[in-house]
Structure formats: structure tokens, C-alpha cells
Amino acid sequence: MNKKHGTHPKMCNFISMNIPFHVLALRMVIILIISSVCGYKDVLAQQTQLTLVTSPYPPFVNPEGDPVGEGIDIDIAREALSRGGYRIKVVMVPWKRALNMLSDGQADLTTTISKNEDRDSYLAWTQGYRNSVEYRFYGKKGDTRKLTTLKDLEGMRIGITLGYFYPDALVKRQNVNYLSGNTISNTVQMLTKGRSDFILVNNIAGLWEIKKLGLTQELELQALKYHSDSPTYMAFSRQTNFEKPLNVMIESLKQMAKDGSIQRIEKKYIMDKAN
């Protein structure tokens, strides 16, 4: 008879058990609620996960799988956004491609970036979270040429790294031959192989890479140093729903500066490498 009238076998089981209708209805409501909650959690997870696109710049952004950690600025971004309920997925690509992804809305944010007018059209900025950068020069040990003043750069081949900010006072000088490496490691190796006379690096990033390559005994830090007041920023793509996470980042960075979290994260990397 069930087959004749097309009654579902499970329904027959319910009927045969003589379960009151209101109990069956309650069960169905519970099932619907559970399904709805699970679906909402899936949607919420998608809404609160942000894609952070960047390229390696140790120790601020470390290559994937680095034993020390993801890097100073990745850790800062992750903790800051977590305070507002956001999670991040880190995507590593060449820096030029990272900027294109932000411009096109394929990524939500990046770290360790300098502000300029060309980027204002597609990026929304946090306040600066690192407000001073020291630049240093390295040469090969045994080289009698020394850099003590900016004038000493004249006639020299200076290695720099593509995609990174340098003050005009250092990289737009007359009678200086600037040579570019794709990474800081490439730039350091240009010096060791004699293709440049000196290299110009961010003090922290340069020292990190030189120690990592085991070259501290081969290279000599020069007396010439240059301080830049150009801040470092986090930036969000204007092609995404950036307002809420941007505000979370701004407020969290303020809190982290006050409660010592930024300094704690920096010490994890700088102190480890200094030892």
C-alpha cells in the first residue's frame, strides 16, 4: 500500500511509531535551526576572513615556513585584526603583483608599505605604526674605500633592492651608479660577487639578511647612516568592503602601541636574530 500511494518509507516509520505530530514538528524546527546556524557560521567565516597580500621582506614579512615566524608586520596585522574578530589569509607574490591585486580588489590589505600619491586612488591607509627608519651601507671587509658622508657616494656603484622605498637624498644623487637586485638577498650577493661597491639597506632588514646568509665576517658596516621620518603603514584596497576592517586596524594599532604588544612582537624577531 505504501508503494501504491507513494508514501515515503521514513514517514511510514514515523507513523508506525505513533509519535505525536507536535513532537515531529518540533524535531523539524530544531533541524532547520541547526542548518540555518551552520550556514550562517559559514557565511560569517567568509565575511571575517581577509586576504593579506605581500612579498617577503624579512624580518617584517618572512617567507612561508620560516622557523622564527611569519614576520613582525604579519604578526602585528594578525593580532590587530583578531581584536575585531577578523582572520587573515596571507598570500605571497612579487611586490608589483601585490599592488595590482590591491588595485583590482583581489586582496583586502597589505603591510609594510610607504604612502605616496600614486597609491591613494586605490588604497585606504592606517596611521603610521613605525615612524622612523634607519638606512645603512655595507661594503666588503678589506676595501679601503669608506663611506662617512653622502659626498663619499660619488663615483660608487650602490646596490639597492627593487620595490622598496628609499629617501631621495640617498637614491637620486648625481654621479652615483645605482644597481638593483630583485630581493635583499640578491642585493647582498651583488656586493659579495663584486658587482657593486656598497649596498644600501634598511638597517633591520639588511642585518637580518646578512646574518641569515652567514656573511657578517665578510661585510663591513659603514659609518654613514641616514634616518628617514617616512612612516610605515598598513593599507586596505578601496575596491573591497574596507571601512570596518580598516577602522578595526586603526583602533587596534593604537591599543597595541599603548599596551606594549607591538614592542613585544618586534623583540621576538630582533632579539632572536641579534643573539
Side-chain angles (χ1 to χ4, degrees):
M1 184 165 183
N2 289 339
K3 291 183 180 180
K4 180 178 178 181
H5 293 285
T7 306
H8 195 282
K10 290 187 177 179
M11 184 59 72
C12 293
N13 291 336
F14 283 142
I15 294 171
S16 65
M17 293 170 63
N18 295 320
I19 298 175
F21 177 78
H22 71 276
V23 175
L24 293 175
L26 180 60
R27 288 183 177 179
M28 293 302 297
V29 169
I30 292 172
I31 291 171
L32 290 172
I33 290 173
I34 293 172
S35 299
S36 298
V37 168
C38 292
Y40 174 74
K41 286 183 177 180
D42 290 340
V43 171
L44 188 62
Q46 292 174 1
Q47 290 176 340
T48 57
Q49 178 169 282
L50 303 174
T51 299
L52 189 158
V53 65
T54 186
S55 60
Y57 185 38
F60 305 109
V61 179
N62 284 351
E64 294 182 59
D66 191 287
V68 179
E70 292 183 290
I72 295 172
D73 291 357
I74 299 296
D75 284 3
I76 291 173
R78 192 179 289 283
E79 180 166 333
L81 287 169
S82 72
R83 294 186 180 196
Y86 289 94
R87 299 173 296 113
I88 61 172
K89 177 180 71 173
V90 178
V91 176
M92 293 284 187
V93 296
W95 183 240
K96 186 175 181 180
R97 184 179 169 194
L99 294 177
N100 289 335
M101 289 176 68
L102 291 163
S103 178
D104 295 340
Q106 298 176 30
D108 296 288
L109 74 151
T110 191
T111 70
T112 329
I113 187 170
S114 299
K115 185 186 289 189
N116 63 41
E117 293 181 358
D118 294 339
R119 296 169 178 171
D120 286 344
S121 62
Y122 63 91
L123 292 178
W125 308 89
T126 66
Q127 74 275 36
Y129 64 96
R130 186 176 299 112
N131 294 314
S132 179
V133 179
E134 183 177 81
Y135 293 89
R136 300 302 302 264
F137 292 84
Y138 284 86
K140 293 182 72 172
K141 278 191 177 177
D143 193 330
T144 57
R145 297 169 297 179
K146 306 297 179 185
L147 300 180
T148 56
T149 68
L150 290 174
K151 187 173 177 58
D152 295 332
L153 294 173
E154 293 183 7
M156 299 295 180
R157 299 173 299 166
I158 304 297
I160 59 176
T161 306
L162 287 172
Y164 297 106
F165 172 82
Y166 297 94
D168 289 349
L170 297 179
V171 294
K172 291 189 176 181
R173 304 189 67 82
Q174 299 293 323
N175 303 319
V176 179
N177 183 14
Y178 296 100
L179 307 169
S180 298
N182 291 324
T183 64
I184 296 179
S185 178
N186 293 153
T187 303
V188 171
Q189 291 172 11
M190 284 194 324
L191 175 61
T192 60
K193 294 178 180 178
R195 297 201 297 268
S196 66
D197 301 312
F198 298 93
I199 57 171
L200 168 61
V201 293
N202 170 297
N203 183 42
I204 295 174
L207 180 59
W208 176 280
E209 195 66 36
I210 288 167
K211 287 190 172 185
K212 179 181 175 182
L213 294 171
L215 296 173
T216 52
Q217 298 304 312
E218 296 182 33
L219 303 182
E220 183 177 1
L221 181 65
Q222 301 297 297
L224 177 59
K225 63 177 71 174
Y226 189 92
H227 288 274
S228 171
D229 293 329
S230 176
T232 301
Y233 298 87
M234 306 277 184
F236 287 73
S237 170
R238 291 185 179 274
Q239 305 303 315
T240 62
N241 296 321
F242 69 92
E243 290 90 351
K244 287 184 179 179
L246 173 61
N247 288 334
V248 167
M249 179 70 83
I250 288 172
E251 292 306 314
S252 295
L253 288 175
K254 291 178 184 177
Q255 294 170 6
M256 291 173 68
K258 289 180 180 178
D259 65 26
S261 296
I262 290 179
Q263 292 83 352
R264 167 178 52 79
I265 291 170
E266 289 176 341
K267 285 181 180 179
K268 169 186 172 183
Y269 293 87
I270 296 172
M271 295 302 292
D272 281 355
K273 208 62 179 179
N275 294 332

